[in-house]
Amino acid sequence: MSVDPAPRRGWCPGLARPMPTGDGLLVRLHPVSGRLSARQVRAAARAAREGGNGLLDVTARGNLQIRGVTAESHGRVVDILAEAGLGDARHDGGPQRLTLDAPLAGADVLAVVAAVEAIGREVAGLPAKTLVAVEDAAGGLGPVEADVWVRVAPDAEGRLTSMSPYRARVLSSPRGRGEGFTPLVGGEASAGAAEAGVRGSRRVRLLRRYPLTIGCRLVSPPTRGTKPSPRPRGEEMRTGRRAVSEGAEDTLFPALQLAIATPAAPLWLAPMPGPAALAILRTLLLGLAASGARRMRALPDAERDALLDGLPRGDAPPAGTVHPAGLHGRTLLAELPFGRCDAALLDRLAAWSELYGDGHIALTPSRGVALTARDESTAARLRDEAAGLIVDPADPRRAVAACPGAPACASGGTPAQGDAPRLAAAFAAFSREGATAHVSGCPKGCAHPGPATLTLVGRPDGRYGVVLDGQAGTDTDRVLTFGAVLERLESLRDLSSPWAETGLRDAFREPA
């Protein structure tokens, strides 16, 4: 079978257009919100076994990539994944998945994600790496290299409002993914409605000439031995539709606050009604697509000013925090060591989701998974089952980012994935003080584009360039073997406070 590979850097591989790497072709799946059913998880595991080398990665955008696919096996991989509903969303080179949201996002966020994805698919020419980060006041993403940020604004008392037009109520805390919220885009919320109680659907008119239908199901996990509740019918459904059609759109979406990326920092607008914010977001995406720039921060000042002309500026909201590994209520956030897993682990995750939860998992930006249990007792058992993953927030591996490196990546000069566990052990004293490390097989820095306290950059000769408080593309004159890096870190173990300002600089000063 002839394979049309991803043609250049900056193109994101998908299912139809894989990317050549050192260990074969790489196929990337882009599930919205990172959410996969147990059936889809098993399909990905099967595709990795039958068509790849059995290894998979979770990316920093919460996507899943299958490694080691060949030109001969690619067609089989496509068939397996397409049958499970994991095919590409678009075929024009644009982003297969436009949004990124936190693993503990509430129902408001997931509904906004569905709307943003629908808008993005209508924008031709959108650059492949375009990213819209969607959060509520609970945060969870931390620093993100987004093009646009969408923040769900809480009400006056700091609570998040529900999205259902049938029963307006206030959530005292964000709903986890295990509540079974499924955004449905592109028509009435009918698919799968026979299996679960449908609490609402709504039509939001973003612009007079741009109607967008968004349907939502908000499903509580059924208890054993009970039948699912029926879909709303008759007067209830008609009443809901009439309320929407008569101009109640602004009440069905929460207020949203947008920010646009600039070279210096995100530029925040004032909070506004949800439909108005989504219409402005569409204008911003159209402007990016028409500009020829690959990212929003690269827009010329004049073009950015034109897009924002007349829009009220606002204050930046409080920074959100990243949710650490471990149990959060009934939801377990489990990180994969350096984002890597195999097909057997995927099969176990699918089984755990059915045994303890709602039959779904969510891939997370921390390169792991989120699983929500039915109750507290099953949550504890789920955590025990996942003991081989990173479920302790103090695990030193959480502080180290690593790409596959050589030989899996053709660009890699060093085995970054193999060196990362040893670096994590030697770096543990620093990680306890909040320091971070990044092992990159080459200067591209794919696993962690931002700065880290210590960055090791692989070179073609097998050594590492050492960057302090910088990123993989930063120039450096410090070049060491990996063994020498470990020796210098271990030389600080006896210090009572290795996180002294001069600690790492003393360790890596020249000469040794």
Side-chain angles (χ1 to χ4, degrees):
M1 176 181 177
S2 176
V3 178
D4 188 11
R8 58 175 172 79
R9 185 183 178 190
W11 177 283
C12 292
L15 179 57
R17 305 191 76 176
M19 180 174 71
T21 63
D23 58 355
L25 298 174
L26 183 147
V27 167
R28 184 175 295 163
L29 309 178
H30 305 80
V32 175
S33 289
R35 190 170 173 83
L36 297 167
S37 68
R39 172 174 172 264
Q40 291 174 321
V41 174
R42 290 191 177 98
R46 179 184 170 197
R49 275 193 303 268
E50 297 183 10
N53 60 15
L55 298 177
L56 305 96
D57 302 316
V58 176
T59 73
R61 290 194 180 189
N63 297 318
L64 184 67
Q65 49 195 34
I66 299 172
R67 307 197 67 90
V69 177
T70 66
E72 294 73 24
S73 67
H74 179 246
R76 178 64 177 154
V77 169
V78 170
D79 291 342
I80 293 171
L81 297 174
E83 184 180 358
L86 293 172
D88 291 339
R90 59 194 300 167
H91 304 278
D92 62 347
Q96 298 293 341
R97 174 183 172 188
L98 179 60
T99 57
L100 184 66
D101 56 285
L104 299 180
D108 282 351
V109 167
L110 297 181
V112 173
V113 163
V116 173
E117 290 287 349
I119 292 168
R121 284 194 290 273
E122 296 296 325
V123 179
L126 201 56
K129 291 185 177 294
T130 307
L131 181 64
V132 178
V134 186
E135 280 189 298
D136 54 28
L141 286 179
V144 176
E145 274 201 340
D147 295 282
V148 180
W149 287 261
V150 180
R151 177 67 73 97
V152 176
D155 66 11
E157 298 181 14
R159 299 172 299 181
L160 300 176
T161 56
S162 89
M163 299 298 299
S164 171
Y166 295 119
R167 180 164 44 178
R169 58 182 176 144
V170 174
L171 307 178
S172 59
S173 62
R175 286 184 176 268
R177 295 183 187 278
E179 300 298 325
F181 180 89
T182 304
L184 304 172
V185 181
E188 289 294 330
S190 57
E195 305 151 323
V198 179
R199 304 269 182 88
S201 66
R202 56 196 166 277
R203 174 176 292 275
V204 178
R205 189 169 298 278
L206 303 180
L207 295 174
R208 290 296 177 189
R209 294 180 298 170
Y210 189 74
L212 173 68
T213 299
I214 303 166
C216 299
R217 291 189 285 126
L218 185 54
V219 183
S220 298
T223 57
R224 297 194 178 190
T226 63
K227 295 182 180 180
S229 56
R231 177 176 178 169
R233 303 174 184 273
E235 185 61 30
E236 181 183 5
M237 181 66 76
R238 288 195 299 272
T239 301
R241 288 178 180 166
R242 184 169 62 248
V244 174
S245 65
E246 290 175 0
E249 292 94 332
D250 287 1
T251 68
L252 301 184
F253 265 98
L256 301 176
Q257 186 176 12
L258 304 182
I260 183 173
T262 73
L267 192 160
W268 287 91
L269 303 178
M272 62 189 73
L278 292 174
I280 290 170
L281 172 66
R282 179 175 181 265
T283 299
L284 295 175
L285 295 178
L286 286 168
L288 176 62
S291 71
R294 291 191 181 182
R295 301 301 299 268
M296 194 71 80
R297 63 178 177 270
L299 279 179
D301 291 343
E303 293 188 30
R304 185 184 304 108
D305 291 344
L307 284 174
L308 300 176
D309 183 40
L311 297 178
R313 304 301 195 263
D315 296 327
T321 58
V322 178
H323 302 303
L327 270 179
H328 298 262
R330 294 183 291 112
T331 299
L332 177 68
L333 301 185
E335 298 175 14
L336 304 177
F338 314 111
R340 173 62 56 85
C341 70
D342 58 21
L345 176 57
L346 274 193
D347 281 330
R348 292 200 299 276
L349 289 170
W352 296 344
S353 75
E354 293 174 326
L355 181 61
Y356 301 114
D358 67 348
H360 292 82
I361 73 169
L363 309 173
T364 68
S366 57
R367 307 188 73 188
V369 296
L371 299 100
T372 300
R374 291 188 299 275
D375 51 45
E376 292 183 1
S377 62
T378 53
R381 294 200 295 273
L382 175 60
R383 179 186 56 199
D384 294 341
E385 287 268 28
L389 305 181
I390 298 175
V391 294
D392 179 359
D395 193 309
R397 292 173 293 179
R398 296 190 65 237
V400 180
C403 64
C409 178
S411 300
T414 54
Q417 188 86 198
D419 289 341
R422 296 171 64 194
L423 178 66
F427 196 71
F430 292 94
S431 66
R432 285 193 294 270
E433 301 291 338
T436 58
H438 176 200
V439 192
S440 181
C442 76
K444 289 191 294 185
C446 298
H448 183 70
T453 312
L454 172 65
T455 300
L456 303 183
V457 186
R459 294 164 51 94
D461 62 6
R463 296 184 296 167
Y464 281 103
V466 179
V467 178
L468 302 180
D469 296 317
Q471 54 198 50
T474 304
D475 291 335
T476 179
D477 295 327
R478 302 181 182 92
V479 180
L480 299 170
T481 66
F482 185 64
V485 170
L486 296 182
E487 288 177 3
R488 296 192 182 207
L489 289 174
E490 289 166 356
S491 70
L492 300 176
R493 281 187 173 180
D494 295 334
L495 294 179
S496 59
S497 179
W499 184 237
E501 287 188 8
T502 58
L504 281 175
R505 297 200 176 276
D506 284 347
F508 290 100
R509 68 182 184 275
E510 297 295 345

